[in-house]
Structure formats: C-alpha cells, structure tokens
Amino acid sequence: MIRTMFAAGVAVALSGFAAFAEPAVVMAPGGAGGGYDATARMPFDAMAADGIFTDGATFTNKGGAGGTIGLAEFVGANKGNDNAVMSMGVIMVGGILLNKSPVTLDDVTPLVRLTNDTGVIAVATDSPIQTVDDLVKMMKENIGGVSIGGGSAGGVDHIVMALLAKESGLDPKALNYIPYDSGAEVVTALGGGAITVAVSGVSEFKPMADAGRIRIIAVTSEAKVAGIEAPSLKESGINVVVGNWRGIVGAPEMTAEGKAMWLDRFTKMHDGPAWKDILAKQGWEDAFLAGDDFSAFLETEKTRIGEILKEAGLVE
C-alpha cells in the first residue's frame, strides 16, 4: 500500500522534508523504450546516482491515445498520493483534445518541465527529396500523395507538418499523415517505401541517420543542431519552430508538502552532474521549468496546441 507523507509510521528525512522510505510510484503513459518511458525512468536514475532519492521506484507503462489512457489510470489510482508521479509532455496536451479525454491535466499536480527534443524531418536515403524546398514542391503538386509517418495523430510530429503545410500555403487538413507507435516503426516504413517522409525527435532519429538508415533534411529548432548537417525549417524559409517538451506531474490532490518535496528533489537533480550526463547522452535540450512557472506554461500550451489542432481540422 502506498502511503502519503502524513500516514502513520516511521518516516525518514530527505531533502529537508519528511517522506517514507519506499519506492515512488511512477506512470509512463507510453510504451517501453519511448520518450515518456525515458522521461519517467531517467530522472530516478539521476537522483539515485547523486544521492538525492535512493528508495527506488516502481514503474508502470500504459500507452495509447496520446498518453491519455495512462493519464486516466494514474488519476484514478493515485488521488492524494504524495509518492506518485507521471511523465507527460506536449503530445499529451494534444492527445487530451484529440481524444476528448474526460481526464485532463487539470486533474494532476504540475511539477516540472524537464527536456525539449527538437524535431527532425527525414527521408529515405535514396529519396529524390533533397531539401525542404523539394518536399514543399512535391506537396504542392499532390499533397495527398506525400505520405507522412510520425507519432500520435495530433502529436508534435503531426503539428510540425501541419504548420509546414500552413506556412507553405497548403491546407493542413489535406495532409496524408500516418501515425505509428514508435520511431523504429516509422524508420522501417520509410526504408520500405510505405511512407515518403518521416518526423520524430533528434534523440530518436539522429542515431538512425548516423547509421545511414535515413537522411535528415531539416530540424525544427531556430537554427542547426550540432552533429546534423541539415538546416532548420526557419533557415529554409519556413517560419516554424517546434519542440517536443516533456516533464513530470504529481498525483491529483497532492499536498503542498508533497509538491514541495518533489520540487526540491527535481531541482537538486537538475543541478547535479548525473542529470547533465543524461541530457548529453540522450541529446535532450535542458528545458527546466518548475512549480508555478510550469503551471503557467501549461496553460499557454493548452491554448496554443488547441489553436493548431483546430487549424489542422483535427478538433472542432
């Protein structure tokens, strides 16, 4: 049984707060090996390595519907549990709208934004598409004939291409977007000719490009990304800058003391050497934002993502 901070029993002191010496309960609302899974697990690796939180964690993976299936399970099972947290991100913001989820981010306790993963647009190594201009030209000739593979419908990959279409004078509703469960599946589909273009994050696609399996033609940051020769969309004349940010939320009705405890842990983790090593290894950008600042950011993201999805014809 998971006990909250003030349950009866013997407590131990950690980071200046009272907490029980037991594993944290962590939900990853995506499949094993994916972005949500890494965002759920790696902070605990870093906290353990730096001696910030060493009681371990029990992890549950529950993917589907842009993360909303895992969100619903997390909310239903952990009300008032100061020891429960969940990874999440911009894809979940869109997934909630797209799936008309009755459970939303209003039902959890925002804690921290941790990372940003720049998007990547790639083609097969033998594709005639060499540049973003080539891609836009092909889309203008027959937008439905350009099949695009990426993550969840309405997720950040889909949003990248919807914005690219809009900035190119095309109708985002006409995109031939095909969602896949993982970046590995997208790369397989691209190599096999099932799709024309693939979209994912730098952390997932750069190793594939380095191995010669795909060719990157653009990134979605303001400028070039170190280690990738392709220009940004903005440098290519397409005014689109999009990032796949991810973070952590706490259980519904988490106490103020519980929230403070986790903010203290994540802040110390962010400042420690183990997390810096993980950021570098994963190719993630540091996007740390905590507490009320993260809550305010979430509110603006709900509005921004909602407007994009409406323009793309994905939500009403």
Side-chain angles (χ1 to χ4, degrees):
M1 176 179 178
I2 301 302
R3 294 160 292 185
T4 58
M5 185 178 299
F6 295 111
V10 179
V12 296
L14 178 66
S15 301
F17 299 97
F20 281 92
E22 63 179 330
V25 177
V26 187
M27 167 64 76
Y36 282 157
D37 186 53
T39 304
R41 295 173 187 270
M42 290 189 179
F44 285 89
D45 290 343
M47 284 191 278
D50 288 343
I52 297 164
F53 177 69
T54 58
D55 295 330
T58 58
F59 297 91
T60 299
N61 289 87
K62 183 70 70 171
T68 58
I69 294 175
L71 171 65
E73 181 172 310
F74 177 75
V75 168
N78 292 291
K79 183 176 179 180
N81 183 0
D82 282 352
N83 210 33
V85 297
M86 180 186 73
S87 60
M88 49 75 70
V90 65
I91 292 173
M92 184 175 287
V93 176
I96 288 167
L97 296 171
L98 192 68
N99 294 284
K100 298 180 180 178
S101 174
V103 181
T104 73
L105 293 173
D106 293 335
D107 297 311
V108 296
T109 304
L111 293 173
V112 290
R113 185 183 70 185
L114 291 174
T115 64
N116 183 65
D117 195 8
T118 292
V120 167
I121 299 175
V123 295
T125 54
D126 60 351
S127 171
I129 299 171
Q130 298 293 319
T131 66
V132 173
D133 285 344
D134 291 341
L135 172 59
V136 171
K137 181 180 179 181
M138 186 178 289
M139 290 171 68
K140 286 183 175 179
E141 290 173 353
N142 180 9
I143 190 169
V146 180
S147 50
I148 304 159
S152 303
V156 68
D157 301 337
H158 197 169
I159 286 171
V160 165
M161 296 307 296
L163 290 174
L164 185 151
K166 179 186 174 185
E167 288 293 320
S168 303
L170 298 167
D171 182 3
K173 298 176 186 177
L175 287 174
N176 180 9
Y177 186 83
I178 304 167
Y180 288 84
D181 290 335
S182 70
E185 290 183 11
V186 176
V187 169
T188 299
L190 189 64
I195 55 175
T196 311
V197 182
V199 189
S200 188
V202 166
S203 63
E204 197 154 26
F205 268 15
K206 186 178 182 299
M208 302 287 191
D210 291 344
R213 295 187 60 190
I214 60 176
R215 178 161 46 82
I216 296 172
I217 63 168
V219 295
T220 67
S221 50
E222 285 277 352
K224 281 185 177 180
V225 171
I228 297 177
E229 290 301 316
S232 68
L233 287 173
K234 195 168 184 179
E235 290 171 331
S236 302
I238 305 292
N239 190 25
V240 172
V241 178
V242 180
N244 185 5
W245 62 263
R246 298 186 182 96
I248 302 288
V249 295
E253 299 182 23
M254 176 176 276
T255 66
E257 293 83 2
K259 180 178 179 180
M261 174 182 69
W262 283 109
L263 289 177
D264 181 71
R265 288 171 175 168
F266 281 116
T267 299
K268 288 180 176 177
M269 179 210 76
H270 170 257
D271 295 338
W275 182 244
K276 290 178 172 61
D277 288 344
I278 286 172
L279 290 175
K281 182 178 179 180
Q282 293 295 314
W284 290 335
E285 300 166 31
D286 183 0
F288 190 74
L289 199 63
D292 291 344
D293 289 338
F294 180 45
S295 296
F297 169 78
L298 270 181
E299 291 305 312
T300 63
E301 280 294 270
K302 292 174 189 176
T303 300
R304 184 179 74 92
I305 298 302
E307 290 172 351
I308 292 171
L309 294 180
K310 285 178 183 177
E311 289 178 356
L314 295 170
V315 299
E316 297 178 355

